[in-house]
Amino acid sequence: MADTTLMDKLVSLAKRRGFVFQSSEIYGGLGSVWDYGPLGVELKKNLKERWWRSMVHERDDIEGLDAAILMHPRVWEASGHVAGFTDPLIDCKICKNRFRSDDERIKGEPGTPTGQCPVCGNKGSLTEPRLFNLMFKTFMGPVEEAAAQIYLRPETAQGIYVNYLNVQQSSRQKVPFGIAQIGKAFRNEINPGNFIFRTREFEQMEMQFFVKPGEDHTWFEYWRARRMEWLVALGITPAKLRFHQHGPSELAHYAKDAYDIEYEFPFGWKEFEGIHNRGNYDLSKHQEFSGKKLDYLDTVTNERFVPFVVETSIGADRLALVTMMDAYAEEAVEGETRVVLRFNPAIAPIKAGVFPLVKKDGMPEIARKIYDDLRAQMPSFYDESGAIGRRYRRQDEAGTPFGVTVDGQTLTDQTVTVRHRDSMVQERVSADKLAAWLRERLGR
Ligand code: GAP
């Protein structure tokens, strides 16, 4: 499969099967904003739950938080986002198209009067680069004046920093400990695109780990290893994952050291998770700007210090794209092309499809009863329309790991056919043991 077409195929499958729709589609769409349909919302929820379980529920040293999207505007001055969260922007004076100055299409052209604008073809029409802040602004209260201007958060991390002592004291944690959060973030990206890869509204899953200064490098290496392990356990092809260490010119304004975890997309190796050693940049800035002490008292050594922060940050939407892309396969089966999403069963939106082979001989009634029992235990789907082969294919496209068919033999020995999505192998399972059989294979 040519890689350029993989993306088109995935976008079309996502729409056709209800994973992802363009926002406000009937109005022509809103640029780089997407909505999750019935299957997409389940996939993303499964990814978020799995992340939350591994960060918060399975550990004693990380607490959860759900901070508001809107924060005091001084937060973003302290964090450096008002001054530094900018992209250099170049406009074409004639066709009004906008480019980031590192855009491949205008390489070497800004400031050169002979430069040709890549969209309209005019020469010398590009402006000098200007800094453009990526934060969305809005107004709090009824008067639209500068004093009431606030921002939609561009990262969830700051909600954690300003609450770190609230969480530490209320949960009686001791450094080292972490705070995890899942929530929306907003960036007015200049060049969004590649479907849900770079959007203007997205969800982040971030964890900030507070450590004693000097122990930050050890924890940084610890989290780097844990995060790669988690992604591999999720079922992502290891050969399509790699680390990329930031060079001095790539480091964000807050970072001492940083690694991206990259996936090999059809449009190249790209970041979808970042592990950052943020030092004490954020906490000391909040201390300075708020005038409140944010140091930590180590009750064993009696030392006071502002903790260093090791952050892991992954986009839920970008991870959803990685899992869909990695799961997508096409196979020739009986002269037809079978499209299948080979999701890890734990993240599949639907766990089992239930089908009567034919709509007679009491098969629909038995299948319906099995479905009613199953859906109370796991997301399931009932389908009695069309040839059985077509019903299997529909579930293959949705990534459903198991197909359960009630057939002639069910009427005599109370067993059903269970078809495995990936191998298409079929086996017989006793109807009364089916739920337990599936739960065992789904790790539920
Ligand atoms: N708190 C650190 C932080 O926000 P980042 O590298 O700017 O770091 C972290 O973002 C992750 O958030 C990225 O690896 C990506 O998965 C996701 N992300 C960032 N910008 C995004 C966008 N415009 N659309 C979708 N996901 C985005």
Side-chain angles (χ1 to χ4, degrees), residues 254-265:
Y254 50 72
K256 253 180 91 181
D257 195 0
Y259 277 86
D260 293 338
I261 299 181
E262 297 184 332
Y263 180 77
E264 191 179 18
F265 290 95

Side-chain angles (χ1 to χ4, degrees), residues 177-293:
F177 78 100
I179 305 177
Q181 171 162 235
I182 300 178
K184 291 269 186 172
F186 302 82
R187 295 182 192 178
N188 201 359
E189 300 279 2
I190 300 168
N191 286 329
N194 283 324
F195 191 33
I196 53 171
F197 178 80
R198 181 170 289 115
T199 55
R200 295 194 167 107
E201 172 176 342
F202 55 96
E203 232 171 333
Q204 288 186 317
M205 306 195 280
E206 297 199 305
M207 194 281 299
Q208 316 295 322
F209 206 74
F210 300 88
V211 305
K212 198 172 167 183
E215 294 180 1
D216 47 312
H217 184 70
T218 309
W219 281 108
F220 181 67
E221 288 303 323
Y222 169 88
W223 278 110
R224 198 154 80 79
R226 292 293 85 70
R227 293 307 303 149
M228 186 59 103
E229 280 166 17
W230 188 84
L231 293 166
V232 170
L234 192 60
I236 302 169
T237 310
K240 292 197 160 217
L241 293 171
R242 73 176 188 194
F243 282 113
H244 164 74
Q245 186 176 20
H246 283 206
S249 66
E250 292 169 279
L251 283 175
H253 61 272
Y254 50 72
K256 253 180 91 181
D257 195 0
Y259 277 86
D260 293 338
I261 299 181
E262 297 184 332
Y263 180 77
E264 191 179 18
F265 290 95
F267 45 91
W269 286 94
K270 300 280 177 204
E271 168 204 350
F272 70 112
E273 169 147 12
I275 296 108
H276 310 125
N277 182 347
R278 296 178 71 132
N280 64 4
Y281 179 87
D282 302 271
L283 291 182
S284 48
K285 285 280 178 192
H286 285 307
Q287 189 163 258
E288 181 189 330
F289 277 67
S290 69
K292 298 279 180 342
K293 283 226 148 298

Side-chain angles (χ1 to χ4, degrees), residues 6 16 21 27 34 44 81 137 171 178 225 242 261 271 273 292 315 335 339 377 383 385-386 437:
L6 170 61
R16 189 170 74 248
F21 308 124
Y27 288 95
W34 299 88
K44 202 163 129 180
H81 284 81
K137 298 183 187 73
S171 61
R242 73 176 188 194
I261 299 181
E271 168 204 350
E273 169 147 12
K292 298 279 180 342
V339 173
Q377 306 182 53
D383 189 0
S385 61
W437 188 96

Side-chain angles (χ1 to χ4, degrees), residues 425-442:
V425 165
Q426 304 193 357
E427 59 181 306
R428 295 209 74 87
V429 177
S430 170
D432 62 353
K433 300 212 171 61
L434 177 69
W437 188 96
L438 288 170
R439 274 205 315 271
E440 194 183 315
R441 278 149 190 86
L442 293 164

